[in-house]
Amino acid sequence: MDPLWTRQVKLTQRMMDPLGLARVSERITSDLLPGITTTTTVARNYSLYCWAIYDSLKRVNIQSRSQFADEMVKRENAFVLGSLLHHEKDREFKSPIGVDVGRQVLENSNKVVRMDFRVSKSNPEGFYGLYYKGPLNTLGLTRRGRTFDFLTKRGKELALSFEKNIKQTEYYKKYITRKVIPINVLREYGKKACICMLKRRTRERELLRKIFLGKNLPPAVLEYSRRDTLLMVLEMIRQCDEKNVFFDDWVFRNIIFYSQFSDGRKIYRFDFSKFKDIKQRWRFFQFHEYFAYALETILHAFIKELKLREEGLTKNEFLKVVSDYKKIVEEKLSTRVKDKRMIDIINDTLMLYGCEKFGKNSSLIFDQRCTLSSKLNEENLRIEIEYLINENGNSPKLIGLSIVLLILLFIRFYHFYNSSDRAYVWFHDISAGELSLKALTDDIKHRLNDFTLEDFLRHILDLVIFYHNTVAYNKLVYGNDTFRFKEISGRYFFVRDFEPTWRNTRINGVLGILEDLGLCETSENTRSVTDDSIKILRNHGVNFAN
């Protein structure tokens, strides 16, 4: 009988997380940004779909889920076409979701448009079913039903606010249920329904602001995490704009982790004392990101060496092939590692930052002193690893840099470990049972006096292999072959390539929503907050130096 990994099974995007590390990241972002995902970047779609449900149930006696889907898609199609027609002469504008299909339909239409198409071919309910159904439910706007979804009181209020803005259009009066609609009717509809029109001061916009900046609904673990995240992002944009720094996802990650950002020439410092709790929760996200990147780099190096050898490698042979990693560790940590235990290497590392021997207090001081100003920090290691991977750099160096990254993370994380800090307790619960920095600390904290550097790498490699196999076998049950290597009698053989990835913070989705709601503005080189944002921040107790 052929081993499982030799059978022909389908490949999917689930291959992108071979160690299962994304689960912790997704739990964190789901807790901190309930109702906002990586794909819900258009604020007006929230009100559009509420109105589509309301209008469908008002006009049609829906008897089946497929009939509900057809009605939702009709209204979605008109929204996409109307938004495109509203900007038909503009080169740059925020495109609706479904823009490619929408453009094809318009290119193939003359004076009228046949509406029997779907902007999303992946889900019968369109992008409502694909992206927005869950977030609308999370925000308390909808409730799911078997035949159709229905609106809550809050959802109906939002639906009526959208309807008020389009009620005088010919589309609303005569054409919603028509199979063929004149282009001029859709163009007029776009003048009222387009994404960009949400920036006007309307009840629809104010309701959406109130929803996003409001309290999380049960069963959310945290009451105000979405509100606090959005306010913190607005304050980040404001402070960055003052320093002529363009705020984006990487700036966010650096500020969260270091309260600093470096553009390669200058280091900028930020103060987010008002947002201490939410910032710390997001900081655990970035802790996990660096941790995941280190482990995935070790996986990448392992696979890379297997690919070079048809005969495969044992674990011992691999460790011999990459043995020069010790030189990289010595170079970065300015210490000799031969005959030393991990506790000695960690103490030597702490000395570089003027810290005492390893413990909770020295971990805290290290956390304060290891910044972007330091010669050695996690972000610099990340940049060096990324460059090496892009340049097909040698495996020993990749392994060495990853080990140093893990050592820095372990030292920095330790003062939180098993503490009563609210953010840590939350992270502890979120990462329970998963491969995480907390789990690694559980594993090695009592072995520091016994482990050599090679023992530490062997332990990490064992974890990588174990979680790779566990994740791959679990996915194979559902017909998804995600094996990157196979094991036969203690030897490992190449199956397919892998490069480390970064999990999504959802901050780009946040920025899209904030911009749609008129709370921030983006041009080619600047991103800034609006006067409304300043008022909102002040109303929530944020004080400005000037």
Side-chain angles (χ1 to χ4, degrees), residues 52 55-56 59 71-79 171 176:
D55 192 70
S56 297
R59 293 176 187 267
E71 294 299 324
M72 293 293 289
V73 166
K74 284 179 189 175
R75 290 155 180 80
E76 179 181 61
N77 289 348
F79 175 79
Y171 168 76
I176 289 177

Side-chain angles (χ1 to χ4, degrees), residues 468-522:
H468 166 273
N469 290 342
T470 300
V471 169
Y473 276 114
N474 285 340
K475 290 179 178 179
L476 196 61
V477 171
Y478 299 98
N480 297 299
D481 178 5
T482 64
F483 281 93
R484 302 292 175 169
F485 57 81
K486 60 184 178 182
E487 179 183 358
I488 302 175
S489 302
R491 297 192 73 81
Y492 297 88
F493 299 86
F494 172 81
V495 174
R496 58 176 64 90
D497 291 311
F498 170 75
E499 288 191 3
T501 57
W502 293 94
R503 269 51 42 178
N504 199 307
T505 59
R506 306 190 186 183
I507 292 304
N508 288 331
V510 166
L511 291 172
I513 288 170
L514 292 175
E515 189 163 341
D516 289 349
L517 295 176
L519 296 175
C520 75
E521 298 172 336
T522 305

Side-chain angles (χ1 to χ4, degrees), residues 6 41 90 162 171 209 239 264 295 421 431 446 448:
T6 66
T41 58
D90 299 332
F162 180 88
Y171 168 76
R209 286 183 178 183
Q239 289 192 33
L295 294 192
D421 177 85
S431 60
H446 296 306
L448 297 178

Side-chain angles (χ1 to χ4, degrees), residues 17-30:
D17 185 31
L19 302 181
L21 290 159
R23 289 193 291 263
V24 172
S25 304
E26 288 166 2
R27 289 175 190 171
I28 291 174
T29 52
S30 293

Side-chain angles (χ1 to χ4, degrees), residues 201-218:
R201 192 176 298 278
T202 63
R203 177 159 177 74
E204 179 191 351
R205 188 190 74 174
E206 298 313 307
L207 282 173
L208 282 169
R209 286 183 178 183
K210 183 178 178 181
I211 289 165
F212 284 116
L213 294 172
K215 186 177 179 179
N216 299 339
L217 299 179

Side-chain angles (χ1 to χ4, degrees), residues 337-348:
V337 300
K338 186 178 180 181
D339 299 326
K340 285 187 176 180
R341 302 298 167 181
M342 282 302 296
I343 188 64
D344 301 317
I345 296 170
I346 288 171
N347 284 333
D348 289 347

Side-chain angles (χ1 to χ4, degrees), residues 9 55 93-94 132 195-196 228 240 288 317 323 340 455 472:
V9 292
D55 192 70
F93 63 96
K94 184 167 183 177
Y132 280 84
I195 298 164
C196 68
D228 291 347
C240 283
H288 187 71
E317 288 170 345
S323 61
K340 285 187 176 180
D455 293 332

